[in-house]
Amino acid sequence: MNDRLGDDPELDEEARAPGARTIRDVARLAGVSIGTASKALNANGRLSAKTRAKVLKVAEELDYRPNNLAQSLHRARSMTVGILSNDNYGRFTFPIVAALERRLFDSGIAVFMCNATDDPARERRHIDQLLRKRVDGLIVTARRADRREPIEPAARGLPVVYVFARVDNPDALCLLPDDEGGARLAVEHLARLGRKRIAHITGPEHFEAVRLREKGFRAALASAGLAAPPGACRSGRWSEEWGREAVRDLFARPAAAPDALFCGNDQIARGALDALNEIGLSVPGDVAVVGFDNWEVMTSGARPPLTSVDMNLDALGTAAGDALLQMMAGSKLCGVSRLPCSLVVRASCGAIL
Amino acid sequence: MNDRLGDDPELDEEARAPGARTIRDVARLAGVSIGTASKALNANGRLSAKTRAKVLKVAEELDYRPNNLAQSLHRARSMTVGILSNDNYGRFTFPIVAALERRLFDSGIAVFMCNATDDPARERRHIDQLLRKRVDGLIVTARRADRREPIEPAARGLPVVYVFARVDNPDALCLLPDDEGGARLAVEHLARLGRKRIAHITGPEHFEAVRLREKGFRAALASAGLAAPPGACRSGRWSEEWGREAVRDLFARPAAAPDALFCGNDQIARGALDALNEIGLSVPGDVAVVGFDNWEVMTSGARPPLTSVDMNLDALGTAAGDALLQMMAGSKLCGVSRLPCSLVVRASCGAIL
DNA sequence: TGACTCTGGGAAAAGCTTTTCCCACGCTGT
DNA sequence: ACAGCGTGGGAAAAGCTTTTCCCAGAGTCA
């Protein structure tokens, strides 16, 4: 038996076909059958240590990589999942997807990225493609806006996790941030710092997140024994401009002016900060401000740096990965699960720093 | 022959195994051989119209989807590519990847998303996984910072496109935005509007983009017959804070103050706007400002809305997709290709609106 | 009517692994 | 020395398609 593979003319011959190494090559060069090679590579059957080592050595020298296509075909598990996204901006989706991909990759699963920007036909074609590729599961993400339709029944039997997306089907598993709890966190913090007249400037009411955050806002006020005067909650757009407008309006009569603002997102908060500045009010001296999203580019560019609620999107992504793995292993999971937010304290709320 | 498939007891039997339909099922129910069914589905061999129609009808009724794994195994083309990203933020990568995915999907190719956030070991494992999955090509993206190492030689023979990333290997294809041209666009525009003392506030010098933009800045000044006084170009960080600092410094002696600022990124521009505001200078009245990146959240939140250079990242993504498709079809492409930027004019530069 | 040409469809190999089942060899015990 | 048993490794099927090659039947022409 020739152990010096480096001198084996057969090896040189093989070296010319890169990337196309098969288990046949390994078996032939190791002088064993294909089945034996497979067993050695997978630490599977009963083989002598010598044979096993020989096969592994040859595989290493050939830089052999098993063909996942053939493996998947045989095992009826592709070790891939599809991520269906509808976020054309990517700001929320990206951290989720990144964490998800990391979690799944650590379990040996690769993800197909599919972007179907609110085009139902395109989404159907994507799902069709994923089914042809025999993905083992599906993740569906959306912008927070929409309570979307469940995906096609064709996917029945396939594990599906909706993350940062909500469907009405009670059999579906939806993972979402706890908007209400996040709002409560912010308002409780402000109340604890002694603020008495807390207002809420937020986005369009048709967002469920807006309604939930308002709910949390009111709940926290109530449990802090504070009143929510009429007009203390303003919903508008998600923009800085709206933040500025709302502040100008809220502070038009100084007597009734708030001493704290909880904003529905960091852009609104940023606009609010700018407007307060212009009015001549100091932050956090006269008014404390808390945002939502903890979007670094907004919070750190703001003056003073913005305290903000973090939705822990990466934890959400990791949780979605965990859930999908469980479902792929046979568990039936369903219902709406909301993961906690956290408060990232910076200077704008007037906490001791 | 029973044409009413709805009544066929065999069909009902089959209906219980969802997603597991094979071409055997189609063939059996259509009363033809597997080979014939395949020919009908692929419009391939010579078949009578009747047989073809019969097979297609059965396939439709069964909701049959060919198993891509088996197809790929046979054809030795997986119709998948991997996207290897190192951008942990996603701001630049996301638009590129989205456009890329769209382009490739339209050609029937699915993309594996791999995030290897600057961890070389992780990147190697990702590449290994992709090779096992027998991807037909690879896209490598990076943060603009680094002139990165080419990926492992193991991938030799596999088409690779570097986009928004740069490697020294002359055999590699790199697609990048034309930073220099973008800078020229901005400065020419300012010069055309009559600005005479144009300064440049930009990011860290170790970024190639910073050096190229400065080069474009100086070139455009020269060809407009304007001088670039010493200290007209300041490099620092990519942050709003740096924009504010630099403005305070540049405008310390009003006599030598610029009448226009070209900023290396929108965050710097945003900071500059705020600082100018505080100093009491009007934009664009006293000073015109142009940013870089055309990042919507920055440009539209700014007051006044910010004129900015757009790197056309989606065009870059589409071009990368085109290039990869060509390489997959056999073309050898290499070299560094820079795609044009464009200027998006808003109020901050003082153009007629 | 016989030979020949189409034509439509079938059989089988190939693509790469995994896994089950089985066989042969060598050893043990008497 | 022989029966039996354990052990290591091989053969082959299966997983799902595609494609090539071939055959049978029908039609055509002389």
Side-chain angles (χ1 to χ4, degrees):
Chain A
M1 194 186 256
N2 177 9
D3 270 310
R4 295 164 308 146
L5 284 175
D7 300 342
D8 190 332
E10 272 194 335
L11 183 60
D12 284 346
E13 179 193 334
E14 292 306 314
R16 282 177 209 137
R21 288 294 157 42
T22 74
I23 200 172
R24 309 178 80 90
D25 302 321
V26 176
R28 186 158 37 80
L29 262 65
V32 299
S33 76
I34 294 179
T36 301
S38 174
K39 287 176 208 164
L41 292 167
N42 295 298
N44 233 354
R46 290 184 321 188
L47 264 51
S48 74
K50 205 193 307 179
T51 310
R52 202 179 293 280
K54 172 77 179 165
V55 170
L56 291 178
K57 184 179 161 205
V58 172
E60 166 101 1
E61 297 207 33
L62 284 184
D63 196 24
Y64 166 71
R65 275 175 244 269
N67 185 329
N68 274 7
L69 269 41
Q71 291 181 318
S72 300
L73 183 59
H74 187 80
R75 296 179 177 148
R77 301 200 69 207
S78 67
M79 304 297 273
T80 59
V81 308
I83 298 188
L84 211 54
S85 151
N86 272 305
D87 186 346
N88 43 7
Y89 197 162
R91 173 169 134 225
F92 298 113
T93 298
F94 195 88
I96 295 176
V97 169
L100 197 45
E101 188 269 338
R102 165 173 283 262
R103 177 69 189 86
L104 292 174
F105 177 67
D106 287 340
S107 296
I109 292 174
V111 307
F112 285 114
M113 182 71 193
C114 302
N115 214 310
T117 315
D118 290 325
D119 177 346
R122 200 172 183 83
E123 181 173 296
R124 265 195 304 279
R125 282 194 294 141
H126 263 124
I127 292 175
D128 185 63
Q129 190 193 48
L130 291 171
L131 291 177
R132 286 164 189 256
K133 295 213 174 296
R134 298 296 190 263
V135 291
D136 298 326
L138 224 45
I139 301 270
V140 181
T141 325
R143 282 201 308 265
R144 67 144 43 79
D146 33 24
R147 179 178 295 246
R148 57 160 286 152
E149 291 296 307
I151 61 172
E152 290 224 353
R156 281 296 163 86
L158 197 67
V160 179
V161 175
Y162 296 86
V163 53
F164 216 70
R166 183 116 158 65
V167 298
D168 282 323
N169 185 343
D171 295 335
L173 176 65
C174 303
L175 261 46
L176 295 159
D178 181 6
D179 290 291
E180 188 182 337
R184 227 181 294 123
L185 234 45
V187 177
E188 282 166 3
H189 183 74
L190 289 170
R192 208 177 306 119
L193 292 172
R195 305 290 167 163
K196 300 295 181 196
R197 297 180 311 280
I198 306 175
H200 184 34
I201 311 176
T202 186
E205 267 180 358
H206 68 265
F207 284 79
E208 186 177 38
V210 165
R211 298 191 298 272
L212 289 170
R213 290 172 196 177
E214 178 176 344
K215 194 173 161 198
F217 165 72
R218 294 191 187 280
L221 280 189
S223 64
L226 297 174
C233 179
R234 318 250 167 155
S235 75
R237 286 152 286 136
W238 287 123
S239 66
E240 296 189 43
E241 193 184 23
W242 163 239
R244 296 192 291 258
E245 274 178 34
V247 161
R248 281 194 287 267
D249 194 45
L250 272 170
F251 289 80
R253 288 167 308 147
D259 60 0
L261 295 176
F262 167 48
C263 300
N265 93 1
D266 286 341
Q267 292 173 76
I268 293 174
R270 182 76 193 267
L273 285 179
D274 284 347
L276 289 170
N277 222 341
E278 276 169 24
I279 294 176
L281 293 172
S282 85
V283 176
D286 299 319
V287 184
V289 177
V290 176
F292 208 108
D293 288 350
N294 194 32
W295 193 12
E296 201 273 343
V297 65
M298 283 286 133
T299 57
S300 72
R303 278 174 307 165
L306 186 63
T307 294
S308 186
V309 176
D310 192 311
M311 291 188 282
N312 294 321
L313 295 179
D314 49 353
L316 203 59
T318 305
D322 287 334
L324 192 64
L325 288 169
Q326 284 183 46
M327 292 171 81
M328 283 163 55
S331 309
K332 303 279 174 222
L333 302 180
C334 64
V336 175
S337 174
R338 294 201 173 259
L339 272 64
C341 300
S342 44
L343 187 71
V344 177
V345 177
R346 297 193 186 82
S348 71
C349 60
I352 355 78
L353 269 193
Chain B
M1 196 184 254
N2 178 9
D3 269 309
R4 296 163 308 145
L5 284 175
D7 299 343
D8 191 332
E10 271 195 336
L11 183 61
D12 284 346
E13 181 193 334
E14 292 306 315
R16 281 177 209 136
R21 288 295 159 40
T22 74
I23 201 172
R24 309 178 80 90
D25 301 320
V26 176
R28 185 157 37 79
L29 262 65
V32 299
S33 76
I34 295 179
T36 302
S38 174
K39 287 175 208 164
L41 291 168
N42 296 298
N44 232 353
R46 289 184 320 187
L47 264 51
S48 74
K50 206 194 306 180
T51 309
R52 203 178 292 279
K54 172 76 178 165
V55 171
L56 292 177
K57 185 181 161 204
V58 171
E60 165 101 0
E61 298 207 33
L62 284 185
D63 196 24
Y64 166 72
R65 274 174 244 271
N67 185 330
N68 274 7
L69 269 41
Q71 290 182 318
S72 299
L73 183 59
H74 186 82
R75 297 178 176 149
R77 300 201 69 207
S78 66
M79 304 298 271
T80 58
V81 309
I83 298 188
L84 211 54
S85 150
N86 272 305
D87 187 346
N88 43 7
Y89 198 164
R91 173 169 134 226
F92 298 114
T93 298
F94 195 88
I96 295 176
V97 170
L100 198 44
E101 188 269 338
R102 163 173 286 262
R103 177 70 188 86
L104 292 174
F105 177 68
D106 288 341
S107 296
I109 291 173
V111 306
F112 285 114
M113 183 71 194
C114 302
N115 213 310
T117 316
D118 290 326
D119 176 346
R122 200 172 183 82
E123 180 173 298
R124 266 195 305 278
R125 282 194 293 141
H126 262 124
I127 292 175
D128 186 62
Q129 190 193 48
L130 292 171
L131 291 176
R132 286 165 190 256
K133 295 216 174 294
R134 299 296 191 264
V135 291
D136 298 326
L138 224 44
I139 300 270
V140 181
T141 325
R143 282 200 308 265
R144 67 142 45 79
D146 34 23
R147 179 178 295 246
R148 57 160 287 152
E149 291 297 305
I151 62 171
E152 292 225 350
R156 280 298 162 84
L158 197 68
V160 179
V161 174
Y162 297 85
V163 53
F164 215 70
R166 183 116 158 64
V167 298
D168 282 324
N169 184 343
D171 295 335
L173 175 65
C174 303
L175 261 47
L176 294 160
D178 181 6
D179 290 291
E180 188 182 336
R184 228 181 294 122
L185 232 46
V187 177
E188 282 166 4
H189 183 73
L190 289 170
R192 208 176 308 121
L193 293 172
R195 305 289 168 163
K196 299 295 180 195
R197 297 182 310 281
I198 307 175
H200 184 34
I201 311 175
T202 186
E205 267 181 358
H206 66 267
F207 283 79
E208 187 178 38
V210 165
R211 297 192 298 273
L212 289 170
R213 289 172 196 177
E214 177 176 345
K215 193 173 162 199
F217 165 74
R218 294 191 187 280
L221 281 189
S223 65
L226 298 175
C233 179
R234 318 248 166 156
S235 75
R237 286 152 286 135
W238 288 122
S239 66
E240 294 191 43
E241 192 185 24
W242 163 241
R244 296 191 291 258
E245 275 178 35
V247 161
R248 280 194 288 267
D249 194 45
L250 272 170
F251 289 81
R253 288 168 306 150
D259 60 0
L261 296 176
F262 166 48
C263 299
N265 109 358
D266 286 340
Q267 292 173 76
I268 293 173
R270 182 76 191 268
L273 285 180
D274 285 347
L276 289 171
N277 222 341
E278 276 168 26
I279 294 175
L281 292 172
S282 84
V283 176
D286 298 318
V287 185
V289 177
V290 175
F292 208 108
D293 288 350
N294 195 32
W295 194 11
E296 201 273 342
V297 65
M298 284 286 134
T299 56
S300 72
R303 279 173 307 164
L306 185 65
T307 293
S308 187
V309 176
D310 192 312
M311 291 187 283
N312 294 320
L313 295 179
D314 49 351
L316 204 57
T318 304
D322 287 336
L324 192 65
L325 288 169
Q326 283 182 48
M327 291 171 82
M328 283 164 53
S331 308
K332 302 278 174 223
L333 302 179
C334 66
V336 175
S337 172
R338 295 202 173 258
L339 272 65
C341 299
S342 46
L343 187 72
V344 177
V345 177
R346 297 193 185 81
S348 72
C349 60
I352 354 77
L353 269 193

